[in-house]
């Protein structure tokens, strides 16, 4: 019992003794240094060398010597090898003042950099050597020398010099002569070429994957081409994982970090961790003995892929003041056969609109960019003065160019049983069209930069059995730009026009309406258009809508917004006055995307205000 009491007393005494130390802030334990006599760059490096110095672990004498040693080491990369350093310690030993006389700076007496092997004729290597910033007679600095060494090593890996080495790499410094001699000889050996490609684990025809190659057999090796091939395979959507690697025979890959079970474990446990060496198994040694020098420089490429899930499902729930709650269900099949054909279906449900659509895609030689597509859909719409049941089938040829523009040429067939503004029609129309579009963004969840353009032309004629004759042209653009980190600007314009002698058979899906969350805020969804004699919406033959918005970060992911929207749908160009709304809003960048809340006032209604709420990025 007495022992327990004594133990408690000792613990209490230790706690009381250590309590003042536990209360000390980190800044109270920091080693504060004042440095005089050297330039900013050198001074900063000395501070970096002394940053983690624990002054309390040294006696004053040892601390002074440690500071001198570290400061001298920090000055050598800048050519100062014989500085005079005087250290004055504070009374508590937690601060020091360094008075430094840097002394003479070492200069370069001899600079010899040579390339051997195929790298002598390789422009990136020649450029790296030519751009070396130091010359004979310059003050010695270690950083450019180390950078050149790393640059040549990196280029060797990037460009296929897998047998390269530095046959000579020396920095001879003579402080007593204030001179340095630098020698570097990079022996690259021969450059490897791309060999045959071996594809493993693919469920798609190998020829389809070979068409995506960014290199040909016998071409000089480039790591960039490997990365591009890997990216192209991933972009097809056919695979869950993709790994493209050159097949290198390396003894390093045969080294294991621990011995096999039963092969001398007692000494391994007795050896300190820092003194242990890699252990090579008997099987590895036999493999090393069997490796022979390659007679050629062709490097085989291994492609290992894992098929993507054949059926993928996605469910989305959202809300907007225009349409209320909405539900979306997606069923994607990224591949349905060995040729890489895909099939996607989407079901969309909201109060005014219910839509089911599908797309069958037949990829061509470049499955990422070129394809034939068969699209079909069924849509029911009941909104304002529009009642429509529409069925559509479309066959399209799609190209995506290197500049990110997408061109689509299509032939669409639409059957629409609709009533617009009290006028009922049943029409079957056939119309070809062409569309060009491009969307570019940075940071998908909340773009800090981006733009979107779209332009399309469609034509229908009764000459081939269509119930309506028209020429329809649409175009829109939208952009996002940042000024600094806290100012975001959004602007856009949309135009459209229909040229026809008989507007009545044109279905509502091709007519123009304005107003709503993504159009002219302050007005309800698609409430702006010409009206018939009974005052009902009939849709317009032309459209013009513009928007300008400024957002300012308030704090973190919260932004404030102010905006002005203007536009209308009409039957003749140059309306007397466009409808204009303006207001204020709040943006919150949530994990699922930005949530937008706006209060807008339409200028043609003095006391009217409208609330707009939506989830998702602008485009």
């Amino acid at each position: 019992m007495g022992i327990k009491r004594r133990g408690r007393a000792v613990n209490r005494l230790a706690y009381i003794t250590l309590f003042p130390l536990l209360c000390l802030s980190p800044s109270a334990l920091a080693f504060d240094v004042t440095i005089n006599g050297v330039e900013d760059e050198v001074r900063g490096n000395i501070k970096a060398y002394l940053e983690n110095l624990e002054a309390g672990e040294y006696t004053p004498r040892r601390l002074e010597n440690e500071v001198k040693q570290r400061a001298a080491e920090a000055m050598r990369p800048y050519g100062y090898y014989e500085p005079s350093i005087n250290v004055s310690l504070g009374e508590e030993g937690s601060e020091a003042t360094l008075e430094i006389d840097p002394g003479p700076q070492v200069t370069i007496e001899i600079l010899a950099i040579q390339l051997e092997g195929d790298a002598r004729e390789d422009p990136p290597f020649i450029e790296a050597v030519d751009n070396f910033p130091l010359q004979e007679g310059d003050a010695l600095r270690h950083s450019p020398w180390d950078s050149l060494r790393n640059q040549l090593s990196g280029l060797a890996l990037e460009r296929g010099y897998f047998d390269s080495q530095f046959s000579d790499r020396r920095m001879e410094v003579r402080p007593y002569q204030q001179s340095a001699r630098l020698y570097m000889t990079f022996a690259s050996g021969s450059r490897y070429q791309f060999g045959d490609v071996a594809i493993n684990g693919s469920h798609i025809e190998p020829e389809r994957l070979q068409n995506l190659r960014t290199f040909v057999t016998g071409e000089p090796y480039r790591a960039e081409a490997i990365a591009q091939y890997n990216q192209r395979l991933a972009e097809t959507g056919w695979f869950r994982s993709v790994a493209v690697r050159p097949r290198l025979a390396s003894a390093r890959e045969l080294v294991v970090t621990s011995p096999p079970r039963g092969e001398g474990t007692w000494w391994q446990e007795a050896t300190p961790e820092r003194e242990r060496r890699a252990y090579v198994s008997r099987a590895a040694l036999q493999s090393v003995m069997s490796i022979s020098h390659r007679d050629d420089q062709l490097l085989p490429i291994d492609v290992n892929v894992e098929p993507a899930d054949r059926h993928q499902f996605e469910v989305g729930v959202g809300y907007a003041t225009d349409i209320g709650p909405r539900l979306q269900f997606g069923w994607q099949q990224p591949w349905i056969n060995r040729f890489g054909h895909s099939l996607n279906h989407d079901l969309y449900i909201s109060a005014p609109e219910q839509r089911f659509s599908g797309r069958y895609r037949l990829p061509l030689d470049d499955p990422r960019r070129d394809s034939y597509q068969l699209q079909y859909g069924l849509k029911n719409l009941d909104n304002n003065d529009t009642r429509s049941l529409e069925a559509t089938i479309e066959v399209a040829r799609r190209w995506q160019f290197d500049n990110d523009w997408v061109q689509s040429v299509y032939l669409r067939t639409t059957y629409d049983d609709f009533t617009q503004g009290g006028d009922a029609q049943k029409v079957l129309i056939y119309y070809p069209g062409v569309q060009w579009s491009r969307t570019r963004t940075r940071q998908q969840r909340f773009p800090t930069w981006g733009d979107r353009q779209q332009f399309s032309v469609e034509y229908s004629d009764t000459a081939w059995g269509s119930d309506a004759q028209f020429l329809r042209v649409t175009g829109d653009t939208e952009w996002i730009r940042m000024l600094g980190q806290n100012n975001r600007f959004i602007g856009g314009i949309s135009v459209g026009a229909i040229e026809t002698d008989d507007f009545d058979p044109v279905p509502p899906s091709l007519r123009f309406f304005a107003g709503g969350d993504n159009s002219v805020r302050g007005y309800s969804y698609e409430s702006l258009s010409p009206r018939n004699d009974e005052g009902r919406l009939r849709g317009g033959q032309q459209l013009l809508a513009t928007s300008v918005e400024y957002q300012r970060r308030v704090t973190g992911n919260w932004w404030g917004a102010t905006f002005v929207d203007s536009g209308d749908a009409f039957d003749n160009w140059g309306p007397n006055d466009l409808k204009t709304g303006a207001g204020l809003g709040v943006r919150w960048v949530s994990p699922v995307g930005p949530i937008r809340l706006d209060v807008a006032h339409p200028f043609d209604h003095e006391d009217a205000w409208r609330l707009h709420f939506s989830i998702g990025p602008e485009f």
Side-chain angles (χ1 to χ4, degrees), residues 2 7 9 104 116 123 133 172 196 238 279 331 361 380 394 444 464 505-506 529 543 552 558 572 589 594 596 612:
E116 296 179 351
E172 299 177 356
D196 294 331
W238 294 333
Y279 181 87
W331 172 25
R361 182 172 177 272
N380 180 64
E394 176 185 296
Q444 294 290 331
W464 52 64
V506 177
S529 88
L543 170 72
R552 171 74 180 179
W558 289 91
N572 295 295
V589 187
R596 296 176 287 167
H612 296 272

Side-chain angles (χ1 to χ4, degrees), residues 78-95:
Y78 300 94
Y80 297 105
Y81 277 77
E82 294 184 313
S84 176
I85 303 174
N86 182 39
V87 179
S88 300
L89 297 177
E91 294 182 0
E92 299 181 358
S94 61
E95 58 185 24

Side-chain angles (χ1 to χ4, degrees), residues 182-248:
L182 279 58
Y183 304 92
M184 182 182 296
T185 301
F186 182 74
S188 68
S190 299
R191 186 177 181 182
Y192 280 74
Q193 293 87 41
F194 287 109
D196 294 331
V197 175
I199 300 175
N200 304 302
S202 176
H203 55 299
I204 304 298
E205 283 289 323
E207 182 180 356
R208 311 229 68 182
L209 307 187
Q210 295 283 4
N211 290 338
L212 293 172
R213 288 172 54 175
T214 54
F215 53 86
V216 297
T217 301
E219 181 180 286
Y221 177 88
R222 292 177 297 110
E224 180 183 7
I226 293 290
Q228 290 174 345
Y229 188 28
N230 196 102
Q231 181 179 354
R232 287 187 176 187
L233 292 174
E235 288 176 352
T236 63
W238 294 333
F239 308 108
R240 177 185 300 173
S241 65
V242 178
V244 181
R245 297 188 180 94
R247 190 187 307 164
L248 291 172

